[in-house]
Amino acid sequence: MRTLADVYGTDVEIISRSDQVVRAYCRTDAPDQVHQLLRQCGFTSSGSHDLCCYQLPDYLSFPDRMKAASMATDRLDEAGYRVGIVPHLVVGYVGENCIVQTEVQRLAATRRTPAAGAAPEQSDLPAPPSVRPAARTR
């Protein structure tokens, strides 16, 4: 079974939908360190059959769940893992390996594929200076 992290190409995806339950989805082949870091931040496995899905306990207030999700994101980033998190869960700084986008934005980005023969997107970088051809000699 593929998880959100498998679909989005990250190591962990941390989300919360309208039910305010904060869930973390690991890659199906995630290393043990990922699972340990999530558990250290308060995430629990949602069932023995699915070791790739975690959630924060219901007894935590939503602001405390936000803090725990941000802390997990920070610790995973420090360990060198790529983490996706929805913007409304971010409290404070998130690291360079973190992707802060809504789930809808992430899904749309994964579905975008360039058409065959289409030119690549232009970047905001300036064009490289032109190289003058060498002078011809006879």
Side-chain angles (χ1 to χ4, degrees), residues 111-134:
R111 289 185 176 165
R112 269 187 252 136
T113 56
E121 289 185 31
Q122 298 295 321
S123 68
D124 292 335
L125 299 175
S130 61
V131 177
R132 184 177 170 184

Side-chain angles (χ1 to χ4, degrees), residues 3-15:
T3 67
L4 285 179
D6 293 327
V7 172
Y8 297 151
T10 57
D11 295 302
V12 178
E13 286 291 323
I14 300 176
I15 66 163

Side-chain angles (χ1 to χ4, degrees), residues 5 18 21 39-40 54 64 68 72 75 77 83 103 121 132 134:
S18 59
V21 175
R39 287 191 294 269
Q40 288 172 5
Y54 291 85
D64 287 340
R75 287 189 181 176
D77 174 62
V83 183
E103 192 175 346
E121 289 185 31
R132 184 177 170 184

Side-chain angles (χ1 to χ4, degrees), residues 9-137:
T10 57
D11 295 302
V12 178
E13 286 291 323
I14 300 176
I15 66 163
S16 173
R17 295 188 177 127
S18 59
D19 59 3
Q20 294 192 340
V21 175
V22 178
R23 293 182 177 87
Y25 295 95
C26 303
R27 269 189 356 235
T28 51
D29 62 347
D32 288 337
Q33 185 181 22
V34 169
H35 299 281
Q36 291 170 357
L37 289 169
L38 286 170
R39 287 191 294 269
Q40 288 172 5
C41 294
F43 283 87
T44 58
S45 181
S46 61
S48 60
H49 65 281
D50 188 9
L51 297 176
C52 294
C53 181
Y54 291 85
Q55 70 182 43
L56 289 170
D58 292 336
Y59 62 80
L60 291 175
S61 67
F62 190 70
D64 287 340
R65 286 184 240 164
M66 291 170 58
K67 289 177 190 174
S70 289
M71 181 174 61
T73 301
D74 188 44
R75 287 189 181 176
L76 288 160
D77 174 62
E78 286 175 359
Y81 297 105
R82 286 180 40 93
V83 183
I85 185 169
V86 292
H88 67 272
L89 291 178
V90 175
V91 177
Y93 171 79
V94 292
E96 294 177 12
N97 288 322
C98 301
I99 302 164
V100 181
Q101 288 182 324
T102 66
E103 192 175 346
V104 172
Q105 290 171 320
R106 300 293 308 280
L107 188 57
T110 61
R111 289 185 176 165
R112 269 187 252 136
T113 56
E121 289 185 31
Q122 298 295 321
S123 68
D124 292 335
L125 299 175
S130 61
V131 177
R132 184 177 170 184
R136 295 183 71 180
T137 59

